[in-house]
Amino acid sequence: MTEHGVRWTAEQVLALAPDDASRKAGGRLGGAGPWLQIGGSASGSVWGLCKGSGSKPYRTVVDLTGPAYKCSCPSRKFPCKHALGLLLLWSAEGVGEPGEAPDWAASWLSERAAKAARPAAGAGGPVDEEAARRRAERRAARIGAGVTELEQRLADLLHSGLAGQEQAGYAAWEETAARMVDAQAPGLAGRVRELGTIPSCGPGWPARMLEEAALLHLLDRAWLGVAGLPEQLAATVRSRVGLPASGEGEAVRDHWLVLAQYDSASADGRLTTRRIWLRGLAGGRPAMVLDFGPPGRPPGLALPVGLVLEAEMRFRPGSAGLRADLGERFAAAVPCAEVPAGVSTGAALEAYGAALREDPWLESWPVVLGPVVPIPGELGWQLADAEGTSALPVPLTGAGSRSRAGLWQLAALSGGGPVTVFGECGHRGFTPLTAWQPHAPEPVALA
């Protein structure tokens, strides 16, 4: 058990699986699998020896406070089926009385603890402030030159019209993005790539392309006048352009409820981004944690929906106060025993509008809606207040859209009655990600 005496559910364990094949294989190993030894500690770790195809059994260890995993099997999936099977055994039956970890497991756990306690490389060392200032000035000049070039590219787009963009193809936009990378503005490069993919996104693309071009133009003009902006907005502009955050943000300790987790691929397919939404149970503050995976490998950080972590979040400057890094954890994660409190659709729009004042490029704001009723219709789906006359549309195309399968899953969960839904509220509507039935704290991740 964890130190709080609560285990994860099987659904929360299987939510960590990188794909369906791993989920099925882990399920088999979580039953009557070929485990030669399993054990756990009171501090939040489990380990086991699993007989494989070779002469030596696979050594598997899981740090539940992460969760983090290590296994001697050759699998490139993360977590592997052995880690999933071990967690399923732990969640269903436990692993006996807490005891000391074997040397191979204790060594890895000790290395993790030492690494977490180790100060960052170079911390406390001398800093050449003058050299750093000169480097910052050179980079700012390069970004300024790139922004000027991008403004000319956008002007050419409007002068020539949008009609020819479907035939023009993506190559010219990729070349422009590469120029932004040369200008040391990766944030601009990413937005340019997204802009170039819009003509292939189906009906209504000209309006969406004009919207994104206008936001990109706004970011260009904000960079050129960044010295005159309020500090918080200036930090957001620097972050959106691609500069690393300067200074440390606010550190907030709370019990953080994991509301949603999903992956998305970059426009060029070279990077997988995992977005994890959390909310502080005491302070109510939302937090977005991002993790990234290289081609062919999922991101390493995985936090099952519905768990609560007692931890410190270190919020980054800018980004409307959302982006945070997961800091020290003070206890093992435990399931949440309550359905999170929701707000009306009108309050959701007000929250998004307030956030736009701090970050005009913010596509959405995390909101728990409830109670609401999902309503399908000829013009699309809506989430309507159970008491009232207001509703929010659910986008089915473009950024932040949901599949129809996920919406029918939500409708089936609702059964025509009210539910609580977490999602992202933006200018195109509300994208549902997780749902709860009344008085049922078990969350349902929407496909």
Side-chain angles (χ1 to χ4, degrees), residues 175-253:
E175 180 182 351
T176 302
R179 297 283 293 172
M180 296 304 103
V181 173
D182 292 341
Q184 297 183 294
L188 292 178
R191 298 189 76 93
V192 167
R193 290 192 177 99
E194 291 178 5
L195 185 66
T197 63
I198 291 177
S200 61
C201 290
W205 69 263
R208 293 197 298 275
M209 192 168 196
L210 189 60
E211 289 176 3
E212 294 303 321
L215 287 171
L216 189 52
H217 169 68
L218 180 64
L219 183 55
D220 288 345
R221 302 308 301 176
W223 172 261
L224 295 176
V226 69
L229 296 177
E231 182 52 39
Q232 189 170 5
L233 182 56
T236 296
V237 171
R238 296 187 189 100
S239 174
R240 290 293 184 182
V241 167
L243 288 175
S246 58
E248 295 185 1
E250 182 182 5
V252 179
R253 179 174 175 174

Side-chain angles (χ1 to χ4, degrees), residues 82-124:
H82 303 99
L84 291 170
L86 183 60
L87 281 173
L88 286 171
L89 284 172
W90 167 75
S91 70
E93 302 175 1
V95 291
E97 292 298 321
E100 292 187 8
D103 291 343
W104 53 268
S107 175
W108 179 72
L109 292 169
S110 297
E111 289 176 3
R112 274 184 54 80
K115 185 177 180 181
R118 189 182 307 138

Side-chain angles (χ1 to χ4, degrees), residues 17-396:
D19 51 38
D20 288 337
S22 298
R23 191 175 294 110
K24 293 177 182 178
R28 290 192 294 270
L29 289 175
W35 292 97
L36 305 177
Q37 175 189 352
I38 56 174
S41 72
S43 60
S45 60
V46 291
W47 57 82
L49 292 176
C50 187
K51 185 178 180 181
S53 57
S55 58
K56 294 183 178 180
Y58 296 130
R59 297 175 170 181
T60 308
V61 57
V62 179
D63 182 355
L64 297 169
T65 63
Y69 326 91
K70 184 174 178 62
C71 186
S72 61
C73 75
S75 174
R76 295 176 61 87
K77 296 181 179 180
F78 191 84
C80 67
K81 62 182 181 182
H82 303 99
L84 291 170
L86 183 60
L87 281 173
L88 286 171
L89 284 172
W90 167 75
S91 70
E93 302 175 1
V95 291
E97 292 298 321
E100 292 187 8
D103 291 343
W104 53 268
S107 175
W108 179 72
L109 292 169
S110 297
E111 289 176 3
R112 274 184 54 80
K115 185 177 180 181
R118 189 182 307 138
V127 177
D128 188 340
E129 295 184 359
E130 180 60 25
R133 184 187 63 80
R134 289 197 297 268
R135 287 194 299 270
E137 288 179 349
R138 287 195 296 269
R139 182 170 185 179
R142 296 189 67 172
I143 294 175
V147 164
T148 301
E149 181 179 345
L150 180 56
E151 281 290 276
Q152 185 59 54
R153 177 76 172 87
L154 293 175
D156 293 342
L157 170 67
L158 296 181
H159 290 157
S160 60
L162 301 180
Q165 287 300 305
E166 281 185 301
Q167 291 72 35
Y170 179 73
W173 291 108
E174 179 58 38
E175 180 182 351
T176 302
R179 297 283 293 172
M180 296 304 103
V181 173
D182 292 341
Q184 297 183 294
L188 292 178
R191 298 189 76 93
V192 167
R193 290 192 177 99
E194 291 178 5
L195 185 66
T197 63
I198 291 177
S200 61
C201 290
W205 69 263
R208 293 197 298 275
M209 192 168 196
L210 189 60
E211 289 176 3
E212 294 303 321
L215 287 171
L216 189 52
H217 169 68
L218 180 64
L219 183 55
D220 288 345
R221 302 308 301 176
W223 172 261
L224 295 176
V226 69
L229 296 177
E231 182 52 39
Q232 189 170 5
L233 182 56
T236 296
V237 171
R238 296 187 189 100
S239 174
R240 290 293 184 182
V241 167
L243 288 175
S246 58
E248 295 185 1
E250 182 182 5
V252 179
R253 179 174 175 174
D254 204 336
H255 289 79
W256 299 92
L257 170 61
V258 182
L259 292 168
Q261 173 183 289
Y262 65 92
D263 295 350
S264 58
S266 60
D268 56 8
R270 298 176 183 174
L271 189 70
T272 298
T273 300
R274 175 163 294 166
R275 181 172 300 201
I276 303 173
W277 286 113
L278 307 99
R279 184 168 76 173
L281 294 182
R285 181 167 182 173
M288 176 183 65
V289 176
L290 297 181
D291 197 23
F292 304 93
R297 297 190 63 182
L301 181 62
L303 299 176
V305 176
L307 289 186
V308 176
L309 303 89
E310 184 182 359
E312 182 181 79
M313 287 290 175
R314 298 169 185 156
F315 287 87
R316 300 189 180 189
S319 301
L322 280 179
R323 179 77 185 276
D325 297 311
L326 184 58
E328 182 181 357
R329 307 183 199 186
F330 304 98
V334 298
C336 185
E338 299 179 356
V339 178
V343 300
S344 67
T345 56
L349 288 175
E350 290 177 4
Y352 176 53
L356 283 176
R357 291 198 295 267
E358 298 184 27
D359 184 354
W361 303 273
L362 192 67
E363 294 185 357
S364 60
W365 183 256
V367 176
V368 178
L369 281 181
V372 290
V373 179
I375 302 175
E378 295 182 0
L379 300 179
W381 286 72
Q382 293 183 332
L383 292 175
D385 289 328
E387 298 179 1
T389 58
S390 299
L392 285 174
V394 178
L396 287 174

